[in-house]
Coordinates of all heavy atoms in Angstrom, one line a residue:
T210 N 26.7 17.0 -45.3 CA 26.1 17.8 -46.3 C 25.4 16.8 -47.4 O 24.3 17.1 -47.8 CB 27.1 18.7 -47.1 OG1 27.7 19.6 -46.1 CG2 26.4 19.6 -48.1
Y211 N 26.1 15.8 -47.7 CA 25.5 14.8 -48.7 C 24.3 14.2 -48.1 O 23.3 14.1 -48.8 CB 26.5 13.7 -49.1 CG 26.0 12.8 -50.1 CD1 26.0 13.2 -51.4 CD2 25.4 11.6 -49.7 CE1 25.4 12.3 -52.4 CE2 24.8 10.7 -50.7 CZ 24.8 11.1 -52.0 OH 24.2 10.3 -52.9
F212 N 24.3 13.7 -46.9 CA 23.2 13.1 -46.3 C 22.0 14.0 -46.2 O 20.8 13.7 -46.4 CB 23.5 12.5 -44.9 CG 24.5 11.4 -44.9 CD1 25.4 11.2 -43.9 CD2 24.5 10.5 -46.0 CE1 26.3 10.1 -43.9 CE2 25.4 9.4 -46.0 CZ 26.3 9.3 -45.0
R213 N 22.3 15.3 -45.9 CA 21.2 16.3 -45.8 C 20.7 16.6 -47.2 O 19.5 16.7 -47.4 CB 21.8 17.6 -45.2 CG 22.1 17.6 -43.7 CD 23.0 18.7 -43.3 NE 23.1 18.7 -41.8 CZ 22.5 19.6 -41.1 NH1 21.7 20.6 -41.6 NH2 22.6 19.6 -39.8
M214 N 21.5 16.6 -48.2 CA 21.1 16.9 -49.6 C 20.2 15.8 -50.1 O 19.2 16.1 -50.7 CB 22.3 17.0 -50.5 CG 22.0 17.2 -51.9 SD 23.6 17.4 -52.9 CE 24.0 15.6 -53.0
E215 N 20.5 14.5 -49.7 CA 19.7 13.4 -50.2 C 18.6 13.0 -49.2 O 17.8 12.0 -49.4 CB 20.6 12.2 -50.4 CG 21.6 12.4 -51.6 CD 20.9 12.6 -52.9 OE1 19.8 12.2 -53.1 OE2 21.5 13.3 -53.8
G216 N 18.5 13.7 -48.1 CA 17.4 13.4 -47.1 C 17.7 12.0 -46.4 O 16.7 11.3 -46.1
I217 N 18.9 11.6 -46.2 CA 19.2 10.3 -45.6 C 19.4 10.5 -44.1 O 20.3 11.3 -43.7 CB 20.5 9.8 -46.2 CG1 20.3 9.5 -47.7 CG2 20.9 8.5 -45.5 CD1 21.6 9.1 -48.5
P218 N 18.6 9.9 -43.2 CA 18.8 10.1 -41.8 C 20.1 9.6 -41.3 O 20.7 8.6 -41.8 CB 17.6 9.2 -41.2 CG 16.7 9.0 -42.4 CD 17.6 9.0 -43.6
Y219 N 20.7 10.3 -40.3 CA 22.0 9.9 -39.7 C 22.1 10.5 -38.3 O 21.3 11.4 -37.9 CB 23.1 10.4 -40.6 CG 23.3 11.9 -40.6 CD1 24.2 12.5 -39.7 CD2 22.6 12.7 -41.5 CE1 24.3 13.9 -39.7 CE2 22.7 14.1 -41.5 CZ 23.6 14.7 -40.6 OH 23.8 16.0 -40.6
Q220 N 23.0 9.9 -37.5 CA 23.3 10.4 -36.2 C 24.8 10.8 -36.2 O 25.6 10.3 -37.0 CB 23.0 9.3 -35.2 CG 21.6 8.9 -35.1 CD 20.7 9.9 -34.4 OE1 21.2 10.6 -33.5 NE2 19.4 9.9 -34.7
V221 N 25.1 11.7 -35.3 CA 26.5 12.1 -35.2 C 27.0 11.8 -33.7 O 26.3 12.2 -32.8 CB 26.7 13.6 -35.5 CG1 28.1 14.0 -35.3 CG2 26.2 13.9 -36.9
K222 N 28.1 11.2 -33.6 CA 28.8 11.0 -32.3 C 30.1 11.8 -32.3 O 30.9 11.6 -33.1 CB 29.0 9.5 -32.2 CG 29.5 9.1 -30.8 CD 29.9 7.6 -30.8 CE 28.8 6.7 -31.0 NZ 29.2 5.2 -30.9
H223 N 30.1 12.6 -31.3 CA 31.3 13.5 -31.1 C 32.2 13.0 -30.0 O 31.8 12.8 -28.9 CB 30.9 14.9 -30.8 CG 30.0 15.5 -31.9 ND1 30.4 15.9 -33.1 CD2 28.7 15.9 -31.8 CE1 29.4 16.4 -33.8 NE2 28.3 16.4 -33.1
K224 N 33.5 12.8 -30.3 CA 34.4 12.4 -29.3 C 35.8 12.7 -29.8 O 36.3 12.1 -30.7 CB 34.3 11.0 -28.9 CG 35.2 10.6 -27.7 CD 34.9 9.3 -27.2 CE 35.8 9.0 -25.9 NZ 35.6 7.6 -25.4
L225 N 36.5 13.7 -29.2 CA 37.8 14.1 -29.6 C 38.8 13.0 -29.2 O 38.7 12.5 -28.1 CB 38.2 15.4 -28.9 CG 39.6 15.9 -29.2 CD1 39.7 16.3 -30.7 CD2 39.9 17.1 -28.3
G226 N 39.6 12.5 -30.2 CA 40.6 11.5 -29.9 C 40.1 10.1 -30.3 O 41.0 9.2 -30.4
R227 N 38.8 9.9 -30.6 CA 38.4 8.6 -31.0 C 38.6 8.5 -32.6 O 38.0 9.4 -33.3 CB 37.0 8.4 -30.7 CG 36.6 6.9 -31.0 CD 35.1 6.6 -30.7 NE 34.8 5.2 -30.9 CZ 33.6 4.7 -31.0 NH1 32.6 5.5 -30.9 NH2 33.5 3.4 -31.2
K228 N 39.4 7.6 -33.0 CA 39.7 7.4 -34.4 C 39.3 6.0 -34.9 O 39.1 5.1 -34.1 CB 41.2 7.7 -34.7 CG 41.6 9.1 -34.3 CD 43.1 9.4 -34.5 CE 43.5 10.8 -34.1 NZ 44.9 11.0 -34.3
S229 N 39.3 5.9 -36.2 CA 39.0 4.6 -36.8 C 40.1 3.6 -36.4 O 41.3 3.9 -36.5 CB 39.0 4.7 -38.3 OG 39.0 3.4 -38.9
K230 N 39.7 2.4 -36.0 CA 40.6 1.3 -35.7 C 41.4 0.8 -36.9 O 42.5 0.3 -36.9 CB 39.9 0.2 -35.0 CG 39.2 0.5 -33.7 CD 38.5 -0.7 -33.2 CE 37.8 -0.4 -31.9 NZ 37.0 -1.5 -31.3
K231 N 40.7 1.1 -38.1 CA 41.3 0.6 -39.3 C 42.3 1.5 -39.9 O 43.4 1.1 -40.5 CB 40.2 0.3 -40.4 CG 39.3 -0.8 -40.0 CD 38.2 -1.0 -41.0 CE 37.2 -2.1 -40.6 NZ 36.2 -2.3 -41.6
T232 N 42.1 2.8 -39.9 CA 42.9 3.8 -40.5 C 43.6 4.8 -39.5 O 44.5 5.5 -39.9 CB 42.2 4.6 -41.6 OG1 41.1 5.4 -40.9 CG2 41.6 3.7 -42.6
G233 N 43.0 4.9 -38.3 CA 43.5 5.9 -37.4 C 43.1 7.3 -37.7 O 43.7 8.3 -37.3
K234 N 42.0 7.5 -38.5 CA 41.6 8.8 -38.9 C 40.1 9.0 -38.6 O 39.4 8.0 -38.3 CB 41.8 9.0 -40.4 CG 43.3 9.0 -40.8 CD 43.4 9.2 -42.3 CE 44.9 9.2 -42.7 NZ 45.0 9.5 -44.2
V235 N 39.6 10.2 -38.7 CA 38.2 10.6 -38.7 C 37.9 11.4 -39.9 O 38.7 12.0 -40.5 CB 37.9 11.4 -37.4 CG1 38.0 10.5 -36.2 CG2 38.8 12.6 -37.2
P236 N 36.6 11.4 -40.3 CA 35.5 10.7 -39.7 C 35.4 9.2 -40.1 O 36.1 8.8 -41.1 CB 34.3 11.4 -40.2 CG 34.7 11.8 -41.6 CD 36.1 12.2 -41.4
F237 N 34.7 8.4 -39.4 CA 34.3 7.1 -39.8 C 32.9 6.8 -39.4 O 32.3 7.5 -38.6 CB 35.3 6.0 -39.2 CG 35.2 5.9 -37.7 CD1 34.3 4.9 -37.1 CD2 35.9 6.7 -36.9 CE1 34.3 4.8 -35.7 CE2 35.9 6.5 -35.5 CZ 35.0 5.6 -34.9
V238 N 32.3 5.8 -40.0 CA 30.9 5.5 -39.8 C 30.7 4.2 -39.2 O 31.4 3.2 -39.5 CB 30.1 5.6 -41.1 CG1 28.8 4.8 -41.1 CG2 29.7 7.1 -41.5
E239 N 29.8 4.1 -38.2 CA 29.3 2.8 -37.7 C 28.0 2.5 -38.3 O 27.1 3.3 -38.3 CB 29.2 2.9 -36.2 CG 30.6 3.0 -35.4 CD 30.4 3.3 -33.9 OE1 30.0 4.4 -33.6 OE2 30.6 2.3 -33.2
Y240 N 27.9 1.3 -38.8 CA 26.6 0.8 -39.4 C 26.4 -0.6 -39.2 O 27.2 -1.5 -39.7 CB 26.7 1.1 -40.9 CG 25.4 0.8 -41.7 CD1 24.3 1.7 -41.6 CD2 25.3 -0.3 -42.4 CE1 23.2 1.4 -42.3 CE2 24.1 -0.6 -43.1 CZ 23.0 0.3 -43.1 OH 21.9 0.0 -43.7
N241 N 25.4 -0.9 -38.4 CA 25.1 -2.3 -38.0 C 26.3 -3.1 -37.5 O 26.6 -4.2 -37.9 CB 24.5 -3.0 -39.2 CG 23.1 -2.5 -39.6 OD1 22.4 -1.8 -38.8 ND2 22.7 -2.7 -40.8
G242 N 27.0 -2.4 -36.6 CA 28.2 -3.1 -36.0 C 29.4 -3.1 -36.8 O 30.5 -3.5 -36.3
E243 N 29.4 -2.5 -38.0 CA 30.5 -2.5 -38.9 C 31.1 -1.1 -38.9 O 30.4 -0.1 -38.9 CB 30.2 -2.9 -40.3 CG 31.4 -3.0 -41.2 CD 31.0 -3.6 -42.6 OE1 29.9 -4.0 -42.8 OE2 31.9 -3.6 -43.5
E244 N 32.4 -1.0 -38.9 CA 33.1 0.3 -39.0 C 33.6 0.6 -40.4 O 34.3 -0.3 -41.0 CB 34.3 0.4 -38.0 CG 35.1 1.6 -38.1 CD 36.4 1.6 -37.3 OE1 36.3 1.4 -36.1 OE2 37.5 1.7 -37.9
I245 N 33.2 1.7 -41.0 CA 33.6 2.0 -42.3 C 34.4 3.4 -42.3 O 33.7 4.4 -42.0 CB 32.5 2.1 -43.3 CG1 31.6 0.9 -43.3 CG2 33.0 2.3 -44.7 CD1 30.4 1.0 -42.4
P246 N 35.7 3.4 -42.6 CA 36.4 4.7 -42.6 C 36.5 5.3 -44.0 O 36.2 4.6 -45.0 CB 37.8 4.2 -42.1 CG 37.9 2.8 -42.6 CD 36.6 2.2 -42.7
D247 N 36.9 6.5 -44.0 CA 37.2 7.3 -45.2 C 35.9 7.7 -45.9 O 35.1 6.9 -46.3 CB 38.0 6.5 -46.2 CG 38.5 7.3 -47.4 OD1 37.6 7.6 -48.3 OD2 39.6 7.7 -47.5
S248 N 35.7 9.0 -46.0 CA 34.4 9.6 -46.5 C 34.0 9.0 -47.8 O 32.8 8.8 -48.0 CB 34.5 11.1 -46.5 OG 35.5 11.5 -47.4
E249 N 34.9 8.8 -48.7 CA 34.6 8.4 -50.1 C 34.1 6.9 -50.0 O 33.1 6.5 -50.7 CB 35.7 8.5 -51.0 CG 35.3 8.6 -52.5 CD 34.4 9.7 -52.9 OE1 34.3 10.7 -52.1 OE2 33.7 9.7 -53.9
F250 N 34.9 6.1 -49.3 CA 34.5 4.7 -49.2 C 33.1 4.5 -48.4 O 32.4 3.6 -48.6 CB 35.6 3.8 -48.5 CG 36.7 3.6 -49.4 CD1 38.0 3.9 -49.0 CD2 36.6 3.1 -50.7 CE1 39.1 3.7 -49.8 CE2 37.6 2.8 -51.5 CZ 38.9 3.1 -51.1
I251 N 32.9 5.4 -47.5 CA 31.7 5.4 -46.7 C 30.5 5.6 -47.7 O 29.5 4.9 -47.6 CB 31.7 6.5 -45.6 CG1 32.6 6.2 -44.5 CG2 30.3 6.8 -45.1 CD1 32.9 7.3 -43.5
L252 N 30.6 6.6 -48.5 CA 29.5 6.9 -49.5 C 29.3 5.8 -50.4 O 28.2 5.4 -50.8 CB 29.8 8.2 -50.3 CG 29.8 9.5 -49.4 CD1 30.1 10.7 -50.3 CD2 28.4 9.7 -48.8
E253 N 30.4 5.2 -50.9 CA 30.3 4.0 -51.8 C 29.6 2.8 -51.1 O 28.8 2.1 -51.7 CB 31.7 3.6 -52.4 CG 32.3 4.7 -53.3 CD 33.6 4.2 -53.8 OE1 34.0 3.1 -53.6 OE2 34.3 5.1 -54.4
F254 N 30.0 2.6 -49.9 CA 29.4 1.5 -49.1 C 27.9 1.7 -48.9 O 27.1 0.8 -49.2 CB 30.1 1.3 -47.8 CG 29.5 0.4 -46.8 CD1 29.8 -1.0 -46.9 CD2 28.6 0.8 -45.9 CE1 29.2 -1.9 -46.1 CE2 28.0 -0.1 -45.0 CZ 28.3 -1.5 -45.1
L255 N 27.6 2.9 -48.5 CA 26.2 3.2 -48.1 C 25.3 3.2 -49.4 O 24.1 3.0 -49.3 CB 26.1 4.5 -47.3 CG 26.6 4.4 -45.9 CD1 26.6 5.7 -45.2 CD2 25.9 3.4 -45.1
S256 N 25.9 3.6 -50.5 CA 25.1 3.7 -51.7 C 24.6 2.3 -52.1 O 23.5 2.1 -52.7 CB 25.9 4.3 -52.9 OG 27.0 3.4 -53.3

Side-chain angles (χ1 to χ4, degrees):
T210 303
Y211 183 81
F212 294 148
R213 286 162 173 257
M214 181 179 74
E215 295 297 336
I217 299 172
Y219 68 94
Q220 298 286 331
V221 181
K222 187 185 296 184
H223 301 289
K224 188 171 183 182
L225 183 64
R227 187 180 184 195
K228 300 179 180 179
S229 166
K230 296 177 182 178
K231 297 180 180 179
T232 63
K234 296 182 178 182
V235 288
F237 66 93
V238 156
E239 292 174 286
Y240 184 77
N241 292 340
E243 185 175 355
E244 177 187 301
I245 308 99
D247 189 282
S248 60
E249 201 63 18
F250 286 128
I251 288 169
L252 291 179
E253 290 180 9
F254 172 84
L255 291 174
S256 70

